[in-house]
Amino acid sequence: MMGAVVAGATGCAALGRATCQEPDVQLREFTITGLGLTGGSVDVVLSVYNPNGYKLDAIRMTYLVDVDSVKLGEGALDSRFVVPEKDSSIVRLPVRVTYAGLGAAGRALLQSGTVNYRVRGDFSVGTPLGNFTRPYDRRGRYSSVAGNGK
């Protein structure tokens, strides 16, 4: 699930936000972790690549996840994570899901082995000059055969 993300560590503050390249987010896997009366929970694993020449110090991330055109779920990650310069980090997101979203994902995976996804939200990045938030939006295709997103 994932999408082009934010940017902004110290380099962004010093050089200006226009020079920041947005990170690339790819869905790697997802696992159902619980089911209840109104929905459930899924762990979504993303790979976040930082194309910038400085680390990204993310302090918060919000996200909405769609499968095809159906809302799968949403959530927020309030724990800090760092994406090194010109490198990737794995980020695990807890997502509250709807049964409609789980059904759409299950049908698509059973029929074709792939599912179209969209992840959007925003990242809050900490810098020595303060925090700022940037939106991201990413569409891709997850393959259960390959076990990763495109």
Side-chain angles (χ1 to χ4, degrees):
M1 296 191 162
M2 303 87 241
V5 179
V6 118
T10 307
C12 278
L15 299 174
R17 293 180 182 178
T19 62
C20 297
Q21 294 181 19
E22 291 186 351
D24 181 44
V25 177
Q26 299 285 325
L27 173 65
R28 291 293 168 218
E29 66 182 73
F30 64 93
T31 306
I32 297 173
T33 57
L35 297 173
L37 294 175
T38 60
S41 57
V42 174
D43 273 352
V44 174
V45 178
L46 305 177
S47 173
V48 179
Y49 174 74
N50 175 12
N52 297 293
Y54 43 84
K55 72 178 181 175
L56 295 179
D57 190 7
I59 56 175
R60 185 168 202 271
M61 178 181 175
T62 64
Y63 42 89
L64 299 166
V65 182
D66 296 331
V67 173
D68 289 324
S69 61
V70 178
K71 177 182 171 182
L72 177 65
E74 62 186 313
L77 181 65
D78 288 317
S79 28
R80 172 182 230 136
F81 63 93
V82 174
V83 185
E85 63 183 75
K86 307 269 187 210
D87 202 357
S88 297
S89 287
I90 299 298
V91 179
R92 185 175 303 273
L93 306 175
V95 180
R96 295 179 308 277
V97 297
T98 65
Y99 281 119
L102 281 175
R107 280 188 300 280
L109 287 171
L110 285 173
Q111 290 174 356
S112 66
T114 64
V115 64
N116 294 319
Y117 68 85
R118 178 181 181 198
V119 175
R120 63 195 184 283
D122 57 52
F123 275 81
S124 296
V125 178
T127 74
L129 302 176
N131 301 337
F132 67 91
T133 301
R134 288 284 178 96
Y136 68 94
D137 193 332
R138 168 78 172 171
R139 294 173 189 266
R141 179 177 290 274
Y142 176 83
S143 171
S144 61
V145 176
N148 59 25
K150 305 284 183 221

